[in-house]
Amino acid sequence: MSQRPDLRQRRAVLEHEWSHWVPRLSVPGTRPGGSAALRHEVTESWARSLGSVDPGRDSAPVTDGGLVHQRWTSSPLYRPVSGLAGELHSIAEDAGFVTAVTDESGTILWTCGGPTMRRRAELVNFAPGGRWDEQAMGTNALSLALRTGRPSSVFSAEHLVSALHGWVCYCAPVHGPDGQVLGVLDLSTTWDRSHPLAMSTVRTLVSTIEARLTTEHDRPGQLSRLSRLRLTCLGADQAVREGRHLPLRPRQLEILTLLALEPDGFSPERLRAALYGDRPVTASTFKAEISHLRRALDGGIAPRRYTLTIPVSCDAADVLRALEQGDTDTALRHYGGPLLPRSEAPGIEEWRTRLEVAVREAVLASTRPDHALRYGERAPYDAEIHEHALRLLGPDDTRRAIAAGRLTTALRD
């Protein structure tokens, strides 16, 4: 039986691989045809990773089916990162980067960036739910930062997985007030767009996040107050904080609903279109609505790119999350009716239709008659739903009379 090569042999193999990539990638400071020595921390990581990671894999594995929104909103990094969301979006979009935040396990919880870079990143599952720890994706900047507790960068073929050889990543761990690593902040782009200031930018952003974590740790009362905002927008329109109704105007409730349903936020142009469509509304009117809502939320909305910077629970988001998890029962429990039924904002109308269709299709796919009966209460004229209920109900089930009566009314009208 052949013995496994020792670390020196492994290092020689890795440096051989590196020598094949460097000339093609034209690494700055490397002579044409020459090779660069792999850093010790990279070869050590490769040696650890090769036992669990196939260098030929095409993307990162998925955690919890990619459904990490609940983990993100309950993360201690949620508030401080959300408070910087506008700046993070601007940096990523202006410089051609993708920004990512992970938890302490290396699972990505949040990303932002321009559409082109995000599409490229999604090809390797550099997206919410993707696992980027060393056991899952081998040598990369996120896994090194988590392991060492220090800022790290990994360039091109330093990545163990060959699908990442077109990338360069800069990241730094985020420490809580007690010194514990809570996750990492990462800036990634294609290797040809690497920038000498990227690492200093990451360090500065992480310092800001850590400062905000310390401030919030010192003000637990205010954090508790801000964490209790509940938005009810299905069949109703109200926002409640600590049991008290917030006196928001209809337009402000529309804005709050859209931001709650799209955690990645809106550019000013897109949010304005979602609220007003083609109506000739001035920029000052639009900004005034944002300002009024921001004051009502004690801040709560990031500038430039509009995102929520406080935790907001929302019944519509609860429905979507339940449907993503295949939990029709919970989805119906939260589904109180159409989204902001009196709103005519294009963005709300679009989300209203998406929710109605999603819930209805889940009910029609369910084999439980109580789902069809419950949904039928809110859809009295939907004959297909009532027919579905009748098909599922046994011949001796007394609830058949309810479904039959509803079907008769729907067909008559």
Short mmCIF file of all heavy atoms in Angstrom, two decimals, residues 325-392:
data_model
loop_
_atom_site.label_atom_id
_atom_site.label_comp_id
_atom_site.label_asym_id
_atom_site.label_seq_id
_atom_site.Cartn_x
_atom_site.Cartn_y
_atom_site.Cartn_z
N GLN A 325 -40.31 26.70 2.38
CA GLN A 325 -40.02 25.51 3.17
C GLN A 325 -41.04 24.40 2.97
O GLN A 325 -40.96 23.34 3.61
CB GLN A 325 -39.94 25.89 4.66
CG GLN A 325 -38.82 26.86 4.97
CD GLN A 325 -38.89 27.42 6.38
OE1 GLN A 325 -39.89 27.21 7.09
NE2 GLN A 325 -37.85 28.13 6.80
N GLY A 326 -42.00 24.63 2.06
CA GLY A 326 -43.02 23.63 1.81
C GLY A 326 -44.05 23.50 2.91
O GLY A 326 -44.73 22.48 3.02
N ASP A 327 -44.19 24.53 3.73
CA ASP A 327 -45.09 24.49 4.89
C ASP A 327 -46.36 25.27 4.56
O ASP A 327 -46.53 26.43 4.94
CB ASP A 327 -44.38 25.09 6.11
CG ASP A 327 -45.18 24.93 7.39
OD1 ASP A 327 -46.33 24.49 7.33
OD2 ASP A 327 -44.63 25.27 8.47
N THR A 328 -47.27 24.61 3.86
CA THR A 328 -48.52 25.27 3.45
C THR A 328 -49.38 25.63 4.64
O THR A 328 -50.07 26.67 4.63
CB THR A 328 -49.30 24.35 2.48
OG1 THR A 328 -48.47 24.03 1.37
CG2 THR A 328 -50.57 25.03 1.98
N ASP A 329 -49.37 24.81 5.67
CA ASP A 329 -50.18 25.07 6.84
C ASP A 329 -49.81 26.41 7.48
O ASP A 329 -50.68 27.24 7.78
CB ASP A 329 -49.99 23.94 7.85
CG ASP A 329 -51.10 23.88 8.87
OD1 ASP A 329 -52.27 23.78 8.46
OD2 ASP A 329 -50.81 23.93 10.08
N THR A 330 -48.50 26.65 7.69
CA THR A 330 -48.06 27.93 8.26
C THR A 330 -48.34 29.08 7.32
O THR A 330 -48.73 30.17 7.76
CB THR A 330 -46.55 27.85 8.60
OG1 THR A 330 -46.34 26.82 9.56
CG2 THR A 330 -46.05 29.17 9.14
N ALA A 331 -48.15 28.87 6.03
CA ALA A 331 -48.41 29.93 5.06
C ALA A 331 -49.86 30.38 5.13
O ALA A 331 -50.16 31.59 5.14
CB ALA A 331 -48.07 29.44 3.65
N LEU A 332 -50.78 29.44 5.22
CA LEU A 332 -52.20 29.80 5.29
C LEU A 332 -52.55 30.46 6.62
O LEU A 332 -53.42 31.33 6.69
CB LEU A 332 -53.06 28.54 5.10
CG LEU A 332 -53.14 28.02 3.67
CD1 LEU A 332 -53.85 26.67 3.63
CD2 LEU A 332 -53.86 29.02 2.77
N ARG A 333 -51.84 30.08 7.67
CA ARG A 333 -52.09 30.71 8.97
C ARG A 333 -51.73 32.19 8.93
O ARG A 333 -52.40 33.02 9.57
CB ARG A 333 -51.30 29.99 10.05
CG ARG A 333 -51.65 30.45 11.45
CD ARG A 333 -51.13 29.51 12.53
NE ARG A 333 -49.67 29.47 12.58
CZ ARG A 333 -48.96 28.43 12.20
NH1 ARG A 333 -49.57 27.34 11.74
NH2 ARG A 333 -47.65 28.44 12.28
N HIS A 334 -50.70 32.54 8.18
CA HIS A 334 -50.28 33.94 8.10
C HIS A 334 -51.00 34.70 6.99
O HIS A 334 -51.01 35.94 7.01
CB HIS A 334 -48.78 34.02 7.86
CG HIS A 334 -47.94 33.64 9.03
ND1 HIS A 334 -47.93 34.34 10.21
CD2 HIS A 334 -47.06 32.61 9.21
CE1 HIS A 334 -47.10 33.78 11.06
NE2 HIS A 334 -46.56 32.72 10.49
N TYR A 335 -51.56 33.98 6.03
CA TYR A 335 -52.16 34.66 4.88
C TYR A 335 -53.54 35.21 5.25
O TYR A 335 -54.54 34.50 5.27
CB TYR A 335 -52.27 33.71 3.70
CG TYR A 335 -52.70 34.40 2.42
CD1 TYR A 335 -51.83 35.26 1.75
CD2 TYR A 335 -53.97 34.22 1.89
CE1 TYR A 335 -52.20 35.91 0.60
CE2 TYR A 335 -54.35 34.86 0.73
CZ TYR A 335 -53.48 35.70 0.09
OH TYR A 335 -53.84 36.35 -1.07
N GLY A 336 -53.57 36.52 5.52
CA GLY A 336 -54.81 37.15 5.94
C GLY A 336 -55.61 37.77 4.82
O GLY A 336 -56.67 38.36 5.06
N GLY A 337 -55.12 37.67 3.60
CA GLY A 337 -55.83 38.26 2.46
C GLY A 337 -54.85 38.93 1.52
O GLY A 337 -53.62 38.81 1.67
N PRO A 338 -55.34 39.67 0.54
CA PRO A 338 -54.47 40.32 -0.45
C PRO A 338 -53.52 41.32 0.20
O PRO A 338 -53.83 41.93 1.23
CB PRO A 338 -55.46 41.02 -1.38
CG PRO A 338 -56.75 40.33 -1.18
CD PRO A 338 -56.77 39.90 0.25
N LEU A 339 -52.36 41.50 -0.40
CA LEU A 339 -51.35 42.43 0.10
C LEU A 339 -51.83 43.87 -0.05
O LEU A 339 -52.16 44.32 -1.16
CB LEU A 339 -50.05 42.24 -0.68
CG LEU A 339 -48.86 43.09 -0.25
CD1 LEU A 339 -48.29 42.58 1.08
CD2 LEU A 339 -47.77 43.07 -1.32
N LEU A 340 -51.88 44.63 1.06
CA LEU A 340 -52.33 46.03 1.07
C LEU A 340 -53.45 46.21 0.06
O LEU A 340 -53.29 46.87 -0.98
CB LEU A 340 -51.16 46.96 0.75
CG LEU A 340 -50.00 46.99 1.75
CD1 LEU A 340 -48.95 48.02 1.33
CD2 LEU A 340 -50.47 47.29 3.17
N PRO A 341 -54.62 45.66 0.34
CA PRO A 341 -55.68 45.58 -0.67
C PRO A 341 -56.11 46.90 -1.30
O PRO A 341 -56.61 46.91 -2.43
CB PRO A 341 -56.84 44.94 0.11
CG PRO A 341 -56.49 45.10 1.56
CD PRO A 341 -55.02 45.10 1.63
N ARG A 342 -55.86 48.02 -0.61
CA ARG A 342 -56.29 49.31 -1.18
C ARG A 342 -55.20 50.00 -1.99
O ARG A 342 -55.43 51.04 -2.61
CB ARG A 342 -56.74 50.24 -0.05
CG ARG A 342 -58.03 49.78 0.63
CD ARG A 342 -58.41 50.69 1.78
NE ARG A 342 -57.49 50.53 2.92
CZ ARG A 342 -57.65 51.14 4.09
NH1 ARG A 342 -58.69 51.95 4.27
NH2 ARG A 342 -56.79 50.95 5.07
N SER A 343 -54.01 49.39 -2.02
CA SER A 343 -52.89 50.04 -2.71
C SER A 343 -52.95 49.82 -4.22
O SER A 343 -53.30 48.74 -4.71
CB SER A 343 -51.56 49.48 -2.18
OG SER A 343 -50.47 49.95 -2.96
N GLU A 344 -52.58 50.88 -4.95
CA GLU A 344 -52.49 50.79 -6.41
C GLU A 344 -51.05 51.01 -6.88
O GLU A 344 -50.80 51.20 -8.07
CB GLU A 344 -53.40 51.84 -7.07
CG GLU A 344 -54.88 51.60 -6.77
CD GLU A 344 -55.77 52.64 -7.43
OE1 GLU A 344 -55.21 53.61 -8.03
OE2 GLU A 344 -57.00 52.51 -7.36
N ALA A 345 -50.10 50.95 -5.96
CA ALA A 345 -48.70 51.09 -6.33
C ALA A 345 -48.27 49.89 -7.17
O ALA A 345 -48.56 48.75 -6.81
CB ALA A 345 -47.82 51.19 -5.09
N PRO A 346 -47.61 50.12 -8.31
CA PRO A 346 -47.24 49.00 -9.20
C PRO A 346 -46.44 47.91 -8.49
O PRO A 346 -46.67 46.72 -8.73
CB PRO A 346 -46.41 49.68 -10.29
CG PRO A 346 -46.89 51.10 -10.31
CD PRO A 346 -47.22 51.42 -8.90
N GLY A 347 -45.49 48.30 -7.64
CA GLY A 347 -44.69 47.30 -6.95
C GLY A 347 -45.52 46.45 -6.00
O GLY A 347 -45.30 45.24 -5.87
N ILE A 348 -46.48 47.08 -5.31
CA ILE A 348 -47.36 46.34 -4.40
C ILE A 348 -48.28 45.42 -5.20
O ILE A 348 -48.50 44.26 -4.81
CB ILE A 348 -48.18 47.31 -3.53
CG1 ILE A 348 -47.26 48.11 -2.60
CG2 ILE A 348 -49.24 46.55 -2.74
CD1 ILE A 348 -46.53 47.28 -1.57
N GLU A 349 -48.82 45.91 -6.31
CA GLU A 349 -49.70 45.08 -7.14
C GLU A 349 -48.96 43.85 -7.65
O GLU A 349 -49.52 42.75 -7.70
CB GLU A 349 -50.26 45.90 -8.30
CG GLU A 349 -51.26 46.96 -7.86
CD GLU A 349 -51.81 47.76 -9.03
OE1 GLU A 349 -51.13 47.80 -10.08
OE2 GLU A 349 -52.92 48.30 -8.90
N GLU A 350 -47.69 44.03 -8.01
CA GLU A 350 -46.91 42.89 -8.49
C GLU A 350 -46.70 41.86 -7.38
O GLU A 350 -46.88 40.66 -7.59
CB GLU A 350 -45.56 43.38 -9.00
CG GLU A 350 -44.66 42.26 -9.51
CD GLU A 350 -43.31 42.76 -10.00
OE1 GLU A 350 -43.20 43.98 -10.29
OE2 GLU A 350 -42.37 41.95 -10.08
N TRP A 351 -46.33 42.33 -6.19
CA TRP A 351 -46.13 41.41 -5.08
C TRP A 351 -47.46 40.79 -4.65
O TRP A 351 -47.50 39.60 -4.26
CB TRP A 351 -45.52 42.14 -3.89
CG TRP A 351 -44.02 42.11 -3.88
CD1 TRP A 351 -43.16 43.12 -4.15
CD2 TRP A 351 -43.20 40.97 -3.59
NE1 TRP A 351 -41.86 42.69 -4.05
CE2 TRP A 351 -41.85 41.38 -3.70
CE3 TRP A 351 -43.47 39.64 -3.24
CZ2 TRP A 351 -40.79 40.51 -3.47
CZ3 TRP A 351 -42.42 38.77 -3.02
CH2 TRP A 351 -41.10 39.20 -3.13
N ARG A 352 -48.56 41.54 -4.73
CA ARG A 352 -49.88 41.00 -4.38
C ARG A 352 -50.21 39.79 -5.25
O ARG A 352 -50.64 38.74 -4.76
CB ARG A 352 -50.93 42.08 -4.54
CG ARG A 352 -52.35 41.65 -4.12
CD ARG A 352 -53.34 42.74 -4.49
NE ARG A 352 -53.02 43.99 -3.81
CZ ARG A 352 -53.22 45.20 -4.36
NH1 ARG A 352 -53.70 45.32 -5.60
NH2 ARG A 352 -52.92 46.28 -3.67
N THR A 353 -49.99 39.94 -6.56
CA THR A 353 -50.26 38.84 -7.49
C THR A 353 -49.35 37.66 -7.21
O THR A 353 -49.80 36.50 -7.21
CB THR A 353 -50.07 39.33 -8.93
OG1 THR A 353 -50.98 40.41 -9.19
CG2 THR A 353 -50.33 38.20 -9.92
N ARG A 354 -48.06 37.92 -6.99
CA ARG A 354 -47.12 36.83 -6.73
C ARG A 354 -47.52 36.03 -5.49
O ARG A 354 -47.46 34.79 -5.48
CB ARG A 354 -45.71 37.39 -6.56
CG ARG A 354 -45.09 37.89 -7.85
CD ARG A 354 -43.84 38.69 -7.62
NE ARG A 354 -42.77 37.90 -7.01
CZ ARG A 354 -41.55 38.39 -6.75
NH1 ARG A 354 -41.27 39.66 -7.04
NH2 ARG A 354 -40.64 37.62 -6.20
N LEU A 355 -47.92 36.73 -4.45
CA LEU A 355 -48.33 36.04 -3.23
C LEU A 355 -49.60 35.23 -3.44
O LEU A 355 -49.70 34.07 -3.00
CB LEU A 355 -48.53 37.06 -2.11
CG LEU A 355 -47.26 37.57 -1.43
CD1 LEU A 355 -47.51 38.90 -0.73
CD2 LEU A 355 -46.75 36.54 -0.42
N GLU A 356 -50.59 35.84 -4.08
CA GLU A 356 -51.86 35.14 -4.30
C GLU A 356 -51.66 33.88 -5.13
O GLU A 356 -52.19 32.82 -4.81
CB GLU A 356 -52.85 36.08 -4.99
CG GLU A 356 -53.39 37.19 -4.09
CD GLU A 356 -54.33 38.13 -4.83
OE1 GLU A 356 -54.35 38.08 -6.07
OE2 GLU A 356 -55.02 38.91 -4.16
N VAL A 357 -50.87 34.00 -6.19
CA VAL A 357 -50.63 32.84 -7.05
C VAL A 357 -49.87 31.76 -6.30
O VAL A 357 -50.20 30.56 -6.38
CB VAL A 357 -49.85 33.26 -8.32
CG1 VAL A 357 -49.37 32.04 -9.10
CG2 VAL A 357 -50.72 34.14 -9.21
N ALA A 358 -48.85 32.16 -5.53
CA ALA A 358 -48.04 31.19 -4.80
C ALA A 358 -48.86 30.43 -3.77
O ALA A 358 -48.76 29.19 -3.65
CB ALA A 358 -46.87 31.89 -4.12
N VAL A 359 -49.68 31.15 -3.01
CA VAL A 359 -50.51 30.50 -1.99
C VAL A 359 -51.54 29.59 -2.65
O VAL A 359 -51.75 28.43 -2.23
CB VAL A 359 -51.20 31.54 -1.10
CG1 VAL A 359 -52.20 30.87 -0.16
CG2 VAL A 359 -50.17 32.31 -0.29
N ARG A 360 -52.19 30.08 -3.69
CA ARG A 360 -53.23 29.28 -4.38
C ARG A 360 -52.65 27.99 -4.95
O ARG A 360 -53.24 26.91 -4.82
CB ARG A 360 -53.86 30.12 -5.49
CG ARG A 360 -55.03 29.44 -6.19
CD ARG A 360 -55.65 30.37 -7.22
NE ARG A 360 -56.84 29.80 -7.81
CZ ARG A 360 -56.84 28.98 -8.88
NH1 ARG A 360 -55.67 28.65 -9.44
NH2 ARG A 360 -57.96 28.50 -9.35
N GLU A 361 -51.47 28.09 -5.59
CA GLU A 361 -50.86 26.90 -6.17
C GLU A 361 -50.46 25.90 -5.09
O GLU A 361 -50.55 24.69 -5.28
CB GLU A 361 -49.63 27.29 -7.00
CG GLU A 361 -49.98 28.02 -8.30
CD GLU A 361 -50.86 27.18 -9.20
OE1 GLU A 361 -50.52 26.01 -9.44
OE2 GLU A 361 -51.91 27.70 -9.65
N ALA A 362 -50.02 26.40 -3.95
CA ALA A 362 -49.66 25.51 -2.84
C ALA A 362 -50.89 24.77 -2.33
O ALA A 362 -50.83 23.58 -2.00
CB ALA A 362 -49.02 26.30 -1.71
N VAL A 363 -52.02 25.47 -2.28
CA VAL A 363 -53.27 24.84 -1.83
C VAL A 363 -53.71 23.77 -2.82
O VAL A 363 -54.10 22.66 -2.43
CB VAL A 363 -54.36 25.91 -1.64
CG1 VAL A 363 -55.72 25.25 -1.43
CG2 VAL A 363 -54.02 26.81 -0.47
N LEU A 364 -53.65 24.08 -4.12
CA LEU A 364 -54.07 23.11 -5.13
C LEU A 364 -53.14 21.89 -5.18
O LEU A 364 -53.56 20.80 -5.60
CB LEU A 364 -54.12 23.78 -6.50
CG LEU A 364 -55.25 24.80 -6.69
CD1 LEU A 364 -55.12 25.51 -8.04
CD2 LEU A 364 -56.62 24.12 -6.58
N ALA A 365 -51.88 22.08 -4.76
CA ALA A 365 -50.94 20.95 -4.73
C ALA A 365 -51.06 20.14 -3.46
O ALA A 365 -50.52 19.02 -3.38
CB ALA A 365 -49.52 21.48 -4.88
N SER A 366 -51.77 20.66 -2.46
CA SER A 366 -51.89 19.98 -1.17
C SER A 366 -52.94 18.88 -1.24
O SER A 366 -53.94 18.97 -1.95
CB SER A 366 -52.27 20.99 -0.08
OG SER A 366 -52.57 20.33 1.14
N THR A 367 -52.72 17.82 -0.47
CA THR A 367 -53.69 16.73 -0.38
C THR A 367 -54.53 16.83 0.89
O THR A 367 -55.28 15.90 1.21
CB THR A 367 -52.96 15.37 -0.39
OG1 THR A 367 -52.02 15.32 0.69
CG2 THR A 367 -52.22 15.18 -1.72
N ARG A 368 -54.42 17.94 1.59
CA ARG A 368 -55.19 18.13 2.81
C ARG A 368 -56.41 18.99 2.53
O ARG A 368 -56.29 20.15 2.11
CB ARG A 368 -54.33 18.78 3.89
CG ARG A 368 -53.28 17.85 4.47
CD ARG A 368 -52.39 18.56 5.47
NE ARG A 368 -53.15 19.30 6.48
CZ ARG A 368 -52.58 19.98 7.47
NH1 ARG A 368 -51.25 20.01 7.58
NH2 ARG A 368 -53.31 20.64 8.35
N PRO A 369 -57.62 18.46 2.73
CA PRO A 369 -58.83 19.23 2.42
C PRO A 369 -58.97 20.49 3.27
O PRO A 369 -59.56 21.47 2.83
CB PRO A 369 -59.96 18.24 2.70
CG PRO A 369 -59.38 17.22 3.61
CD PRO A 369 -57.94 17.11 3.22
N ASP A 370 -58.40 20.48 4.49
CA ASP A 370 -58.54 21.67 5.34
C ASP A 370 -57.81 22.86 4.75
O ASP A 370 -58.20 24.01 4.97
CB ASP A 370 -58.03 21.39 6.75
CG ASP A 370 -56.60 20.90 6.77
OD1 ASP A 370 -56.30 19.91 6.08
OD2 ASP A 370 -55.78 21.49 7.50
N HIS A 371 -56.75 22.62 3.94
CA HIS A 371 -56.07 23.72 3.27
C HIS A 371 -57.00 24.38 2.26
O HIS A 371 -57.11 25.62 2.19
CB HIS A 371 -54.81 23.23 2.58
CG HIS A 371 -53.71 22.88 3.52
ND1 HIS A 371 -52.63 22.12 3.16
CD2 HIS A 371 -53.53 23.19 4.84
CE1 HIS A 371 -51.82 21.97 4.20
NE2 HIS A 371 -52.34 22.61 5.23
N ALA A 372 -57.69 23.56 1.46
CA ALA A 372 -58.61 24.12 0.46
C ALA A 372 -59.79 24.81 1.13
O ALA A 372 -60.26 25.86 0.66
CB ALA A 372 -59.09 23.00 -0.47
N LEU A 373 -60.27 24.25 2.22
CA LEU A 373 -61.40 24.87 2.91
C LEU A 373 -60.99 26.21 3.53
O LEU A 373 -61.74 27.19 3.46
CB LEU A 373 -61.91 23.93 4.01
CG LEU A 373 -62.68 22.69 3.53
CD1 LEU A 373 -62.89 21.73 4.67
CD2 LEU A 373 -64.01 23.10 2.91
N ARG A 374 -59.79 26.24 4.12
CA ARG A 374 -59.34 27.47 4.75
C ARG A 374 -59.12 28.57 3.71
O ARG A 374 -59.51 29.71 3.91
CB ARG A 374 -58.07 27.22 5.54
CG ARG A 374 -57.72 28.35 6.51
CD ARG A 374 -56.38 28.15 7.18
NE ARG A 374 -56.20 26.81 7.72
CZ ARG A 374 -55.05 26.38 8.24
NH1 ARG A 374 -54.00 27.18 8.29
NH2 ARG A 374 -54.95 25.15 8.71
N TYR A 375 -58.46 28.20 2.61
CA TYR A 375 -58.23 29.19 1.56
C TYR A 375 -59.55 29.61 0.92
O TYR A 375 -59.74 30.78 0.54
CB TYR A 375 -57.29 28.63 0.49
CG TYR A 375 -56.93 29.63 -0.59
CD1 TYR A 375 -55.97 30.60 -0.37
CD2 TYR A 375 -57.57 29.59 -1.82
CE1 TYR A 375 -55.65 31.52 -1.35
CE2 TYR A 375 -57.26 30.51 -2.82
CZ TYR A 375 -56.29 31.48 -2.57
OH TYR A 375 -55.99 32.39 -3.55
N GLY A 376 -60.49 28.66 0.81
CA GLY A 376 -61.79 28.97 0.20
C GLY A 376 -62.57 30.03 0.94
O GLY A 376 -63.40 30.73 0.34
N GLU A 377 -62.31 30.19 2.25
CA GLU A 377 -62.97 31.26 3.00
C GLU A 377 -62.62 32.63 2.43
O GLU A 377 -63.44 33.55 2.43
CB GLU A 377 -62.55 31.20 4.47
CG GLU A 377 -63.03 29.97 5.22
CD GLU A 377 -62.50 29.96 6.64
OE1 GLU A 377 -61.86 30.96 7.04
OE2 GLU A 377 -62.70 28.96 7.35
N ARG A 378 -61.39 32.78 1.94
CA ARG A 378 -60.93 34.06 1.43
C ARG A 378 -61.06 34.16 -0.09
O ARG A 378 -60.70 35.18 -0.67
CB ARG A 378 -59.47 34.30 1.85
CG ARG A 378 -59.28 34.26 3.35
CD ARG A 378 -57.92 34.75 3.78
NE ARG A 378 -57.75 34.69 5.21
CZ ARG A 378 -58.27 35.56 6.08
NH1 ARG A 378 -58.99 36.57 5.63
NH2 ARG A 378 -58.08 35.43 7.38
N ALA A 379 -61.48 33.08 -0.72
CA ALA A 379 -61.64 33.08 -2.17
C ALA A 379 -63.01 32.49 -2.52
O ALA A 379 -63.11 31.42 -3.13
CB ALA A 379 -60.53 32.27 -2.83
N PRO A 380 -64.10 33.18 -2.15
CA PRO A 380 -65.45 32.61 -2.31
C PRO A 380 -65.84 32.35 -3.76
O PRO A 380 -66.71 31.52 -4.03
CB PRO A 380 -66.36 33.66 -1.67
CG PRO A 380 -65.57 34.93 -1.73
CD PRO A 380 -64.15 34.53 -1.55
N TYR A 381 -65.20 33.03 -4.71
CA TYR A 381 -65.59 32.87 -6.11
C TYR A 381 -64.61 32.00 -6.90
O TYR A 381 -64.67 31.95 -8.13
CB TYR A 381 -65.71 34.25 -6.77
CG TYR A 381 -66.69 35.15 -6.05
CD1 TYR A 381 -66.25 36.24 -5.31
CD2 TYR A 381 -68.05 34.87 -6.07
CE1 TYR A 381 -67.15 37.04 -4.62
CE2 TYR A 381 -68.96 35.66 -5.39
CZ TYR A 381 -68.50 36.75 -4.66
OH TYR A 381 -69.39 37.52 -3.98
N ASP A 382 -63.71 31.33 -6.21
CA ASP A 382 -62.73 30.48 -6.88
C ASP A 382 -63.27 29.05 -6.96
O ASP A 382 -63.07 28.22 -6.07
CB ASP A 382 -61.40 30.50 -6.11
CG ASP A 382 -60.25 29.93 -6.92
OD1 ASP A 382 -60.49 29.03 -7.74
OD2 ASP A 382 -59.10 30.38 -6.72
N ALA A 383 -63.97 28.74 -8.05
CA ALA A 383 -64.62 27.45 -8.20
C ALA A 383 -63.61 26.30 -8.18
O ALA A 383 -63.90 25.22 -7.63
CB ALA A 383 -65.42 27.41 -9.51
N GLU A 384 -62.43 26.50 -8.73
CA GLU A 384 -61.44 25.42 -8.78
C GLU A 384 -61.00 25.01 -7.38
O GLU A 384 -60.79 23.82 -7.10
CB GLU A 384 -60.23 25.84 -9.60
CG GLU A 384 -59.22 24.73 -9.83
CD GLU A 384 -58.06 25.14 -10.71
OE1 GLU A 384 -58.01 26.33 -11.12
OE2 GLU A 384 -57.19 24.30 -10.97
N ILE A 385 -60.88 25.97 -6.48
CA ILE A 385 -60.51 25.67 -5.10
C ILE A 385 -61.59 24.84 -4.43
O ILE A 385 -61.31 23.84 -3.74
CB ILE A 385 -60.25 26.96 -4.31
CG1 ILE A 385 -58.97 27.64 -4.79
CG2 ILE A 385 -60.19 26.68 -2.81
CD1 ILE A 385 -57.69 26.90 -4.45
N HIS A 386 -62.87 25.21 -4.63
CA HIS A 386 -63.96 24.48 -3.99
C HIS A 386 -64.10 23.07 -4.58
O HIS A 386 -64.39 22.12 -3.84
CB HIS A 386 -65.26 25.26 -4.14
CG HIS A 386 -65.16 26.69 -3.68
ND1 HIS A 386 -64.49 27.05 -2.54
CD2 HIS A 386 -65.65 27.84 -4.22
CE1 HIS A 386 -64.55 28.37 -2.39
NE2 HIS A 386 -65.25 28.87 -3.40
N GLU A 387 -63.87 22.94 -5.87
CA GLU A 387 -63.89 21.61 -6.49
C GLU A 387 -62.76 20.74 -5.93
O GLU A 387 -62.94 19.54 -5.70
CB GLU A 387 -63.76 21.74 -8.01
CG GLU A 387 -64.99 22.34 -8.68
CD GLU A 387 -64.76 22.64 -10.15
OE1 GLU A 387 -63.58 22.65 -10.57
OE2 GLU A 387 -65.76 22.86 -10.86
N HIS A 388 -61.61 21.36 -5.72
CA HIS A 388 -60.47 20.63 -5.15
C HIS A 388 -60.81 20.15 -3.74
O HIS A 388 -60.49 19.01 -3.37
CB HIS A 388 -59.25 21.56 -5.13
CG HIS A 388 -58.00 20.93 -4.60
ND1 HIS A 388 -57.43 19.80 -5.14
CD2 HIS A 388 -57.21 21.28 -3.53
CE1 HIS A 388 -56.34 19.47 -4.46
NE2 HIS A 388 -56.19 20.35 -3.48
N ALA A 389 -61.47 20.99 -2.97
CA ALA A 389 -61.86 20.60 -1.61
C ALA A 389 -62.81 19.40 -1.65
O ALA A 389 -62.66 18.44 -0.88
CB ALA A 389 -62.51 21.78 -0.90
N LEU A 390 -63.78 19.44 -2.56
CA LEU A 390 -64.74 18.34 -2.66
C LEU A 390 -64.07 17.03 -3.06
O LEU A 390 -64.44 15.95 -2.58
CB LEU A 390 -65.83 18.69 -3.67
CG LEU A 390 -66.90 19.68 -3.19
CD1 LEU A 390 -67.78 20.12 -4.35
CD2 LEU A 390 -67.74 19.04 -2.08
N ARG A 391 -63.06 17.10 -3.92
CA ARG A 391 -62.35 15.89 -4.34
C ARG A 391 -61.60 15.25 -3.16
O ARG A 391 -61.45 14.03 -3.10
CB ARG A 391 -61.36 16.21 -5.46
CG ARG A 391 -62.00 16.37 -6.82
CD ARG A 391 -60.96 16.34 -7.93
NE ARG A 391 -60.00 17.43 -7.82
CZ ARG A 391 -60.16 18.63 -8.38
NH1 ARG A 391 -61.25 18.88 -9.11
NH2 ARG A 391 -59.25 19.57 -8.23
N LEU A 392 -61.12 16.10 -2.25
CA LEU A 392 -60.32 15.60 -1.13
C LEU A 392 -61.17 15.15 0.05
O LEU A 392 -60.72 14.32 0.84
CB LEU A 392 -59.34 16.69 -0.66
CG LEU A 392 -58.28 17.14 -1.68
CD1 LEU A 392 -57.46 18.29 -1.12
CD2 LEU A 392 -57.36 15.97 -2.05
#
